[in-house]
Amino acid sequence: MYVRNGAKNGLICCLAMLLCLISVMVPGKAGLASSPAIAIVNAGFEQQAPGGVIPGWRQTYGNGVAAATYGITSTSKYSGSFSLHLDDLSPTAALGVESDKFAIVPGTAYSASAMYQVERGALSIYLQFFNEAGTRVANTSAGVDMTGGEWVKGGVSGIAPADAVTASVLLYSSTTGQGAGHIDDVKVEVNPIGTFELLGQPIMNFINQDAAIGREQGKDVAYTVVKGANDSTVFAVVDLLTADVIKTIPMPGVTGAWGVKAASDGKIYAGTHYDGHLYQYTPGSDSIVDLGRLSAETHIWALVAGANGKIYAGTYPNAHVFEYDPATNQVNDLGRVHPTEKYVRSIAYDGDRNVVYAGVGGVTAGIVKIDLATGTHEEILQTLLPAAYTNYDFTSNMGYALGKLFVRLNKPDHLLIVDVATETVEYYDPNGLGMGSRTLAVMPGDDQNIYFGGYVLRSYNVVTKTFAVEFADPNARAFNFFDGKFLQLNDPQRPGYTFVGFSEKGQIFFNNKQTGNLSTLKVDNYGSPILIQSLHTGYDGNIYIGGYLGATGFTSYRPADGTFTDVQQFGQVESVASVNNKLYIGTYGNARVHEYDPTAPWTSTNPRRVAELVSHGQDRPFAMVGIDSLSKLYVGSVPDYGSLSGALTVYDVPTRQVQVHKDIVHNQGVVSLAHKDGLIYGGTTIYGGLGTSGPSETEGKLFVFDTATNSKVFEIVPVPGRKVVSGLLDGPDGLIWGVAEDTIFKFDPDTRQIVYKAARLGRYGTGTVWVDAFLEVGKDGNVYGTNRQKTLFMIKPDTMEFVRIKTGAGNYLTQDHLGNLYMANDANLWKYTLPQEEEEVSLDSMQAAVESHQAAGGINGTFAAELKYRLTIIGILSGQGAAGQAAAYMQDFVSHIQDPAVLQQGLISAAASERLSADAAVLIQAWTA
């Protein structure tokens, strides 16, 4: 209800003068009441112990050991008149006093705590769970070290197993601890657990990593493997003329395929990664045959067709080449083709000479010629480019046609053409052309031209040794192709031969040889859920979600109204940070940083690239933190292939200057950053880029970087023997928190010492680990975290109680302005709402709720100002005792925020309307009671 008449305005002006004197008292409460404490008999040890027996407690460890004693004493106590004293002097026996068992509910989380004054060694508290037979089925514990005469709270938390019916508290000194001290005020409480909501699979896309063109059932088709999360990867057949997926065959357990090629007999082969299997498909079939794993290799990177239906595969991590012969159904290992490089990233077959060329790399590019008749291996790139071959990391693409070997060298991307008959360089210009396509094409009847490229389709004449652009429009652009062929499409608009290229994201382009016309299509009738790679909250309160692999997309979620933006095609997003109302997005590869204005349309210049760190040997920007007051962005990165030297990069937003502090921690990558009081705290991983011989260091580190001096000022190993330091956080207690594999630790910025560490999570197995854990300070003051083992946990800062909320919950972690947590379980996005504790509802709390929803985008700014004004008027009425009028005005307030027209205009979200309406109902009830 709008206030318009003069009488009301006059009343408002008079009442406003009293506003500063009015305290709006709490007339009601809302939310879920906190769970009551569990009754523990004699929890404060105030009941005397007749005959040495303490009511409610019994000794369960150290019975009969003279050196292990306990008893009630008045010497020191936290409250009341007495406390329990434990004194364990035995080097061989433990000492433990256990409470009477109490009933519990399976699946419920409980917290046990007590006040400790530890005089010697260490004392512990255990929470134990028992089944109906009285057998202990689970327990969790925490220790308290010497307290220097102070009373310190020690606590532990655990979730009752499904078969548990009772629990007890054990106060304990271990065999080796020999602890002594006083314990008082034991307490057991229910730990309320919040609610989980599956928000869906925010990124669906057609993600393929290679393709082959063929013919099936009278149609020109493309074959590819569509990568999908949640075991949804399929082998797909695509109609080239319509871009429709016409057949899919599930590939259980397959992550994806970097190699998909047609053999000379028309059969299709796919080489998968992570499991290193070779698959065979016969056109027209409804199934795909798993030919098994290629030795101990994990990745098949490239395939090429040989003679007589044979297929050749290049692999990782041992740089082997394999031959599969369908006539014998045998796989022949042609051996490791390079003694140190790990990758065969490309492969070509010369049928004129029965030779396979293997493109190796990782650290330094190479080309290995394999004579299939003799089995001999010969490295030829060093001979071809003796002064330049070391400039390149990989031989990433190769193709053979008309006596020429085309090679894409990178990084950077340069084209090398070799005349194989003379083994001489026919074309190489570091300032000239590159090669975007995965392979080459020739047109039937034309023995002079080789076609390659993609964004610009080019031809190379082997007689004149000249290049030509095939697109009639010089401004026309297509895309790099995985496979391309000249086909006769029987289309009047495309007479004769048309070049057809199939590429990533299910893209197809057609370039007619006669007309030069270019046209494109894209698969839009099929997509798979994509693994979530990153989650971050922007300055605008939206949750930004990056997908795995470069073509998977980037989207956002609006907590205010529960909607997603459209998926944008973007690189693989590793990190997002904000600086002065702009987002900065770090992508893999080449460690690129982009500036993005989410209030403006997504265009070719928004986002725009502001840094590319590949020239400094960086590849994966896993960590970012922005500092508005400095107008600077700090980027932590893992290095490129074959390197161990990560970096901390400083990007100055106004000047667009980039300063790279390479190898800031020797031979380690930077994967976690936090900012506090002008200092950047960085966490590292001992693992560098792929393709190295392994880490040279053994322990991840925490380092301190001074933004004023622009230099590293300190480093420390926070937890000996741990390989990765991640999850860095400016904690609620003024300390820097972090996670080192299984261990939670805290670092004191003043003393620069590790002041707390406790192993609460699992250790790593084998394999490279870059980023592991993520931490957030919750709205309730507790610290929440996830790690790569998909555990969602909570830590209570006052006791450091560790609560494992849910296993298998998800990885990554971020928080919206309303205090909801978000995590990813593969392709699924989950929202965790903290348990709603009993809270007092007042007009002040409603004002704060309006501001919170406005900050999160749930209430329009002008509308929020109006709502706060209305609440101010209601507060004046309530403060003067006009409860009836206050209730009437509040009811009008509710009608206004629930008005369908208001909601339809987007002035307030449904979630904000519901929250404010619920709070208003509490106040109305209190005023009208």
Side-chain angles (χ1 to χ4, degrees):
M1 175 179 174
Y2 290 92
V3 179
R4 291 191 176 94
N5 66 62
K8 286 188 176 180
N9 285 339
L11 173 64
I12 291 166
C13 291
C14 293
L15 294 177
M17 296 175 64
L18 303 175
L19 185 59
C20 63
L21 302 176
I22 296 172
S23 175
V24 181
M25 302 306 292
V26 177
K29 294 184 178 182
L32 301 176
S34 299
S35 300
I38 304 298
I40 301 294
V41 176
N42 201 15
F45 304 101
E46 296 301 307
Q47 298 180 35
Q48 297 301 303
V53 177
I54 303 175
W57 299 84
R58 63 191 179 94
Q59 184 177 9
T60 52
Y61 291 88
N63 288 289
V65 179
T69 62
Y70 71 97
I72 289 180
T73 176
S74 60
T75 304
S76 182
K77 60 273 186 183
Y78 179 73
S79 66
S81 302
F82 302 99
S83 68
L84 175 70
H85 188 258
L86 300 184
D87 190 0
D88 176 17
L89 290 170
S90 172
T92 58
L95 171 61
V97 178
E98 181 182 352
S99 74
D100 288 349
K101 293 184 175 67
F102 47 88
I104 51 88
V105 177
T108 302
Y110 294 89
S111 172
S113 64
M115 299 306 298
Y116 282 79
Q117 188 186 63
V118 182
E119 305 161 343
R120 184 187 70 241
L123 297 175
S124 300
I125 182 170
Y126 277 73
L127 179 60
Q128 307 180 118
F129 297 102
F130 303 87
N131 63 16
E132 284 189 4
T135 302
R136 189 171 74 175
V137 292
N139 72 89
T140 181
S141 65
V144 180
D145 295 326
M146 288 188 292
T147 63
E150 300 293 326
W151 282 92
V152 173
K153 189 176 184 180
V156 66
S157 298
I159 298 176
D163 57 345
V165 295
T166 61
S168 71
V169 175
L170 173 65
L171 308 174
Y172 183 78
S173 169
S174 67
T175 302
T176 57
Q178 293 185 288
H182 296 84
I183 306 174
D184 204 354
D185 287 4
V186 178
K187 183 184 292 185
V188 176
E189 300 173 292
V190 172
N191 273 332
I193 298 298
T195 57
F196 289 88
E197 179 184 358
L198 177 60
L199 299 179
Q201 298 169 335
I203 303 180
M204 299 285 290
N205 217 321
F206 190 98
I207 304 304
N208 58 316
Q209 297 156 301
D210 200 7
I213 291 176
R215 193 164 177 82
E216 181 165 326
Q217 296 179 342
K219 295 182 178 181
D220 293 309
V221 299
Y223 302 97
T224 191
V225 173
V226 183
K227 180 183 177 67
N230 305 338
D231 206 21
S232 62
T233 297
V234 300
F235 180 84
V237 183
V238 180
D239 186 327
L240 287 173
L241 291 182
T242 65
D244 288 336
V245 174
I246 56 177
K247 180 192 295 185
T248 60
I249 300 173
M251 299 181 74
V254 170
T255 300
W258 283 108
V260 180
K261 285 293 174 278
S264 61
D265 60 3
K267 292 183 179 179
I268 309 300
Y269 292 85
T272 62
H273 50 266
Y274 294 116
D275 62 349
H277 280 235
L278 183 65
Y279 288 80
Q280 180 193 71
Y281 171 76
T282 301
S285 174
D286 292 326
S287 62
I288 189 167
V289 178
D290 184 356
L291 299 175
R293 184 172 178 177
L294 300 187
S295 187
E297 300 298 87
T298 61
H299 290 59
I300 298 176
W301 274 105
L303 296 175
V304 70
N308 303 316
K310 294 178 181 178
I311 200 82
Y312 295 90
T315 65
Y316 166 90
N318 298 300
H320 279 244
V321 171
F322 294 86
E323 175 192 77
Y324 172 72
D325 186 347
T328 61
N329 195 30
Q330 295 294 315
V331 173
N332 304 310
D333 187 352
L334 303 185
R336 179 162 192 161
V337 298
H338 196 281
T340 58
E341 298 298 333
K342 294 177 176 290
Y343 293 83
V344 176
R345 282 288 297 269
S346 57
I347 194 165
Y349 175 70
D350 174 2
D352 299 320
R353 294 160 188 81
N354 200 28
V355 168
V356 166
Y357 294 94
V360 301
V363 178
T364 305
I367 301 173
V368 178
K369 175 184 174 182
I370 305 173
D371 188 314
L372 296 176
T374 64
T376 58
H377 297 179
E378 178 187 2
E379 208 293 318
I380 63 173
L381 185 59
Q382 296 178 30
T383 302
L384 295 168
L385 299 177
Y389 79 95
T390 57
N391 296 335
Y392 303 99
D393 297 345
F394 283 105
T395 304
S396 57
N397 294 344
M398 283 201 302
Y400 171 81
L402 304 181
K404 311 300 178 183
L405 179 68
F406 278 57
V407 181
R408 178 187 179 183
L409 300 168
N410 79 329
K411 301 172 179 179
D413 179 9
H414 291 152
L415 171 63
L416 169 69
I417 301 178
V418 181
D419 182 273
V420 296
T422 61
E423 291 196 352
T424 58
V425 173
E426 193 161 296
Y427 175 84
Y428 171 72
D429 182 356
N431 298 311
L433 298 177
M435 176 183 172
S437 58
R438 191 73 60 86
T439 186
L440 308 176
V442 294
M443 189 170 71
D446 181 353
D447 60 359
Q448 293 189 5
N449 292 294
I450 300 170
Y451 296 81
F452 70 102
Y455 287 98
V456 176
L457 181 64
R458 303 180 189 275
S459 60
Y460 176 74
N461 189 291
V462 298
V463 177
T464 63
K465 299 181 182 179
T466 57
F467 298 95
V469 174
E470 293 299 313
F471 296 156
D473 181 353
N475 297 314
R477 293 290 184 272
F479 27 80
N480 297 330
F481 56 88
F482 292 151
D483 195 11
K485 291 187 182 301
F486 281 91
L487 303 175
Q488 291 182 315
L489 301 176
N490 297 319
D491 181 351
Q493 302 300 315
R494 296 165 176 156
Y497 279 106
T498 298
F499 179 83
V500 183
F502 194 88
S503 187
E504 64 180 4
K505 295 175 284 188
Q507 299 179 102
I508 310 167
F509 78 86
F510 305 85
N511 181 235
N512 185 260
K513 183 64 177 171
Q514 291 186 28
T515 66
N517 289 337
L518 172 71
S519 59
T520 63
L521 289 175
K522 185 178 184 299
V523 172
D524 62 5
N525 72 322
Y526 186 83
S528 291
I530 303 303
L531 286 168
I532 295 173
Q533 176 71 10
S534 59
L535 289 174
H536 297 88
T537 302
Y539 72 89
D540 54 2
N542 293 334
I543 309 302
Y544 288 88
I545 308 158
Y548 179 62
L549 284 181
T552 57
F554 180 64
T555 189
S556 65
Y557 173 78
R558 284 174 49 88
D561 57 17
T563 60
F564 291 92
T565 63
D566 292 335
V567 174
Q568 303 291 345
Q569 304 302 330
F570 202 47
Q572 178 173 302
V573 175
E574 305 288 9
S575 54
V576 176
S578 301
V579 181
N580 295 327
N581 295 337
K582 291 287 181 65
L583 290 182
Y584 291 85
I585 305 167
T587 61
Y588 161 79
N590 295 342
R592 292 168 175 158
V593 180
H594 310 261
E595 182 184 85
Y596 174 49
D597 181 355
T599 66
W602 187 287
T603 66
S604 59
T605 57
N606 183 43
R608 67 179 180 88
R609 189 185 306 169
V610 297
E612 185 170 42
L613 306 179
V614 66
S615 60
H616 299 277
Q618 303 305 297
D619 202 32
R620 302 171 190 264
F622 280 122
M624 282 187 178
V625 63
I627 304 177
D628 287 348
S629 61
L630 300 178
S631 294
K632 289 183 178 179
L633 176 75
Y634 294 82
V635 182
S637 55
V638 164
D640 201 356
Y641 290 85
S643 173
L644 296 170
S645 299
L648 177 69
T649 297
V650 184
Y651 174 68
D652 187 280
V653 173
T655 66
R656 300 185 182 179
Q657 296 297 307
V658 176
Q659 186 177 41
V660 180
H661 299 266
K662 188 175 180 180
D663 209 32
I664 190 164
V665 174
H666 183 57
N667 279 350
Q668 301 207 22
V670 180
V671 294
S672 181
L673 295 175
H675 170 245
K676 180 179 176 63
D677 299 332
L679 299 175
I680 298 292
Y681 296 86
T684 69
T685 174
I686 66 172
Y687 298 98
L690 297 177
T692 70
S693 58
S696 65
E697 308 301 304
T698 58
E699 297 169 314
K701 292 185 177 181
L702 170 70
F703 70 88
V704 183
F705 182 88
D706 191 328
T707 62
T709 64
N710 205 39
S711 62
K712 184 179 74 173
V713 294
F714 184 77
E715 71 176 48
I716 189 174
V717 174
V719 184
R722 294 342 188 241
K723 305 168 187 176
V724 179
V725 174
S726 59
L728 292 182
L729 175 74
D730 179 6
D733 50 8
L735 304 177
I736 300 299
W737 294 44
V739 180
E741 293 194 46
D742 61 335
T743 302
I744 311 294
F745 69 85
K746 296 198 285 187
F747 175 79
D748 188 326
D750 296 328
T751 65
R752 292 185 175 170
Q753 297 293 318
I754 301 298
V755 295
Y756 172 87
K757 55 186 175 183
R760 300 299 188 200
L761 300 161
R763 291 294 304 274
Y764 299 158
T766 58
T768 298
V769 177
W770 289 312
V771 182
D772 174 36
F774 300 83
L775 299 178
E776 291 279 347
V777 179
K779 291 288 187 180
D780 57 3
N782 295 320
V783 173
Y784 291 83
T786 62
N787 68 347
R788 67 197 302 263
Q789 297 165 341
K790 299 182 179 179
T791 298
L792 174 64
F793 56 88
M794 178 185 76
I795 302 171
K796 299 181 179 181
D798 60 339
T799 64
M800 295 306 291
E801 294 173 49
F802 180 90
V803 181
R804 194 181 303 270
I805 295 173
K806 186 178 181 181
T807 57
N811 195 9
Y812 310 110
L813 187 68
T814 194
Q815 181 178 199
D816 66 22
H817 291 339
L818 301 176
N820 303 306
L821 299 173
Y822 299 82
M823 64 210 74
N825 192 335
D826 296 333
N828 295 320
L829 179 64
W830 285 90
K831 173 183 173 181
Y832 177 71
T833 302
L834 272 57
Q836 185 180 5
E837 297 188 8
E838 182 178 337
E839 62 178 16
E840 296 178 335
V841 176
S842 68
L843 289 163
D844 286 341
S845 72
M846 289 187 69
Q847 292 271 15
V850 170
E851 293 175 357
S852 177
H853 282 284
Q854 180 187 357
I859 302 179
N860 170 273
T862 302
F863 193 67
E866 177 196 335
L867 296 183
K868 289 191 287 185
Y869 177 75
R870 284 172 175 255
L871 292 172
T872 298
I873 301 306
I874 295 169
I876 294 171
L877 294 170
S878 172
Q880 285 208 325
Q885 281 186 286
Y889 271 64
M890 185 62 83
Q891 186 59 59
D892 186 67
F893 176 93
V894 172
S895 298
H896 189 47
I897 63 176
Q898 292 181 352
D899 186 338
V902 170
L903 292 167
Q904 188 174 8
Q905 293 176 54
L907 298 178
I908 185 170
S909 69
S913 176
E914 290 172 6
R915 161 70 190 278
L916 292 171
S917 296
D919 288 354
V922 174
L923 297 181
I924 292 170
Q925 182 180 16
W927 288 328
T928 57

